[in-house]
Amino acid sequence: MAPPRRNPGNCQQNANGTTNLQAIIEAIGGLTNIVQHQVGATNPTSALEKFRKLDPPAFKGTKDPIEADNWLKEIARLFRAMEVSDEQRVILAVFVLKGDALEWWESTERTHGREVITWQHFVELFRKRYFPDSLMVQKEAEFIRIAQGTQSVYEYERNFAELSRFAPHMVNTEARKARHFERGLREEIQGPVSMFKLETYAEVVDRALIA
């Protein structure tokens, strides 16, 4: 009996020289990679493991809006590095809440019931709790009156940078930022700095450190 003849169509080559069977295998492999990536992106356990390895800072609550803002910025920075979903951001942020902050969140969840809280909504609620208008106004007033006093130039610059976030309209150009910093310097430093009429904040700080 003659052996069965092979169907030449089963091994037909495409224009690139790849058989149909090879093309199917490659397609299945690509699909598997996509599925594995999607599963990893939606798996909260996997995201939590990665998050913990980054050593995220805990947040216990505070009356200092600068401290609260620094925590929020650091957490957001870690999320950008991890490329996690919006829903996972809320889960992971809540994971590092402690003490008063955790009590606040549990109370907030009870208030919102079954409503799904997005990351943007979480940030809004967080700012409302730790950035009340009265504190914002107080910090803006501090920045308006800021002065070096007995601080070193380095300490004054650090304080200036922290408070400037509460009055962005006062430092929205390099020249305005430079002049405001300059006005707060002690007289014996301000004189030598102002004579140069420097236009950028970095130049004023550098000249103040030299003076």
Side-chain angles (χ1 to χ4, degrees), residues 54-123:
L54 293 176
D55 193 25
F59 183 73
K60 300 179 181 179
T62 178
K63 293 182 179 180
D64 183 355
I66 292 178
E67 183 180 342
D69 190 45
N70 287 341
W71 176 82
L72 193 60
K73 286 182 177 180
E74 177 62 15
I75 289 296
R77 185 183 69 83
L78 296 181
F79 290 160
R80 287 193 297 271
M82 292 176 61
E83 297 183 349
V84 292
S85 67
D86 187 83
E87 182 181 359
Q88 287 177 330
R89 291 187 178 206
V90 177
I91 295 173
L92 297 176
V94 172
F95 178 76
V96 290
L97 296 181
K98 311 290 182 183
D100 175 74
L102 182 58
E103 290 180 9
W104 158 75
W105 177 249
E106 291 174 345
S107 174
T108 301
E109 278 192 312
R110 288 192 294 269
T111 301
H112 287 75
R114 296 187 178 183
E115 176 187 347
V116 176
I117 299 178
T118 64
W119 173 245
Q120 181 178 353
H121 194 189
F122 175 90
V123 171

Side-chain angles (χ1 to χ4, degrees), residues 157 160 171-183 185 193-194 196-209:
E157 192 277 333
F160 184 95
V171 291
N172 55 3
T173 68
E174 277 292 316
R176 296 187 69 178
K177 189 175 183 180
R179 295 293 78 77
H180 194 63
F181 180 85
E182 192 177 278
R183 284 194 296 270
L185 291 168
V193 171
S194 61
F196 288 96
K197 300 186 184 301
L198 303 169
E199 290 300 320
T200 69
Y201 175 69
E203 288 175 327
V204 171
V205 172
D206 184 58
R207 180 57 59 176
L209 287 167

